Amino acid sequence: MLRIAVQSKGRLYDETMLLLAEAGIKLNRGKRILLLSAKGFPVELLFLRDDDIPQSVANGVADVGIVGENEYVEKGAEAKVVKRLGFSKCRLALAIPKNEVYHGVEWFEGKTIATSYPEILKDYLKKKGVNAGLHVISGSVEIAPGIGLADAIFDIVSSGSTLISNRLKEVEVVLNCEALLIANKALTEEKQAILDELLFRFEAIQTAEGKKYVLLNAPKNKLDEIIEILPGMKSPTITPLADEEWVSVQSVIAESHFWEIIGRLKALGAQGILVIPIEKMII
């Protein structure tokens, strides 16, 4: 049984549960909300505060964990990063009052900065040669300048709307963050095998992101040009049709270039274009 530590609530919780569901991890819901086992797959979920996850994985209370990079770096726990998961993206940034004139990081010299991430901030300021005071608080960091607790803040920024509502502006990005899959450094062979299977499922999901499966009928005399547009994962699948002058073509395209590619295919005479979403992709 592989024990996975996950955040007990919040945006990271929601996206983690979605990933696990897509990977076929179905939970046995019950009265115990701290620890839940899965159906049909040898894992159980341990629900913790996000800042407790790195140490819990490092000391073996959990075997692996899904945690924000901000908490992983701040805690400095001896757990290894197994995979960057690509969701819950944000950044740790310095922000100052909107009406302040900012010319560089030297602005923070002698100032007081409110933060929930003192270790990351100390390391950054040391590298920049800036001496500043730190006011460590948890939660609602953004209100500190407005009530006179600090001159600036160092906190998580996603959309930036919270900064705007508190009349602050972002001036320095210190760390770009995303969800990480971390693991204890001393997993047994049995637990490593379960983790490898879980990674296989995660990678199949991630590979499919932003991809579309395309089927179309194409004139044979334009096939070479169409193949150049639709390379597929290795090469498109070509199937003969009853009409010897036409073939069926199947391939995968990136959604970001979808309309551009479809337009070029139509210009080359492609017909009956069918586009299908992809849930998983194994390569």
Side-chain angles (χ1 to χ4, degrees):
M1 182 74 73
L2 187 76
R3 180 174 292 176
I4 308 174
V6 300
Q7 186 175 326
S8 57
K9 60 181 179 179
R11 186 165 67 97
L12 182 56
Y13 165 85
D14 294 334
E15 293 183 283
T16 296
M17 292 300 103
L18 179 60
L19 174 64
L20 292 173
E22 290 180 343
I25 309 300
K26 300 178 181 179
L27 299 177
N28 289 309
R29 294 289 181 182
K31 294 181 179 179
R32 297 178 64 189
I33 59 172
L34 179 63
L35 190 65
L36 289 177
S37 59
K39 300 176 184 177
F41 194 75
V43 302
E44 59 184 5
L45 300 190
L46 176 64
F47 295 97
L48 299 172
R49 285 169 48 97
D50 54 352
D51 54 354
D52 289 333
I53 293 175
Q55 189 58 47
S56 296
V57 173
N59 63 23
V61 171
D63 301 308
V64 300
I66 295 177
V67 66
E69 190 168 358
N70 49 307
E71 293 296 346
Y72 175 76
V73 176
E74 174 66 21
K75 299 305 178 184
E78 291 296 317
K80 62 181 179 180
V81 176
V82 176
K83 186 173 182 60
R84 307 183 73 87
L85 296 174
F87 58 81
S88 289
K89 291 187 176 181
C90 61
R91 57 195 179 276
L92 281 171
L94 285 157
I96 65 175
K98 185 179 179 180
N99 58 358
E100 289 284 343
V101 178
Y102 186 79
H103 295 296
V105 72
E106 61 274 8
W107 185 92
F108 295 97
E109 183 70 30
K111 299 290 199 303
T112 300
I113 307 170
T115 185
S116 300
Y117 300 94
E119 299 306 319
I120 297 174
L121 182 55
K122 286 176 188 177
D123 184 62
Y124 176 78
L125 294 174
K126 183 178 180 180
K127 289 177 180 177
K128 295 294 184 179
V130 173
N131 293 308
L134 273 60
H135 188 89
V136 182
I137 56 179
S138 59
S140 302
V141 173
E142 66 278 355
I143 69 171
I147 61 175
L149 280 178
D151 302 297
I153 70 166
F154 176 63
D155 200 20
I156 291 176
V157 178
S158 294
S159 66
S161 59
T162 302
L163 295 182
I164 293 171
S165 64
N166 285 276
R167 299 186 59 80
L168 299 172
K169 61 183 179 182
E170 181 180 344
V171 292
E172 298 284 344
V173 175
V174 175
L175 180 67
N176 287 301
C177 306
E178 63 183 285
L180 302 176
L181 178 65
I182 62 174
N184 183 274
K185 292 182 177 180
L187 293 181
T188 64
E189 288 186 12
E190 179 186 4
K191 290 182 177 182
Q192 184 63 52
I194 299 170
L195 176 57
D196 289 343
E197 172 62 25
L198 191 63
L199 282 168
F200 170 76
R201 297 185 183 194
F202 286 175
E203 286 165 5
I205 294 165
Q206 287 185 322
T207 301
E209 289 177 356
K211 303 287 196 311
K212 297 290 184 183
Y213 191 72
V214 177
L215 299 92
L216 57 92
N217 294 333
K220 271 188 177 180
N221 61 351
K222 295 291 184 178
L223 187 56
D224 289 343
E225 293 174 77
I226 287 174
I227 287 175
E228 287 184 10
I229 300 172
L230 291 174
M233 300 305 292
K234 289 187 178 179
S235 66
T237 299
I238 311 297
T239 306
L241 295 178
D243 186 336
E244 294 182 356
E245 298 300 317
W246 287 76
V247 293
S248 174
V249 181
Q250 303 171 41
S251 190
V252 175
I253 63 174
E255 189 170 12
S256 57
H257 301 294
F258 173 76
W259 289 111
E260 174 192 347
I261 290 173
I262 293 300
R264 293 171 66 189
L265 291 172
K266 288 181 65 179
L268 289 170
Q271 298 179 5
I273 301 172
L274 179 63
V275 182
I276 303 172
I278 301 172
E279 289 188 3
K280 316 284 189 302
M281 183 180 293
I282 299 167
I283 57 175

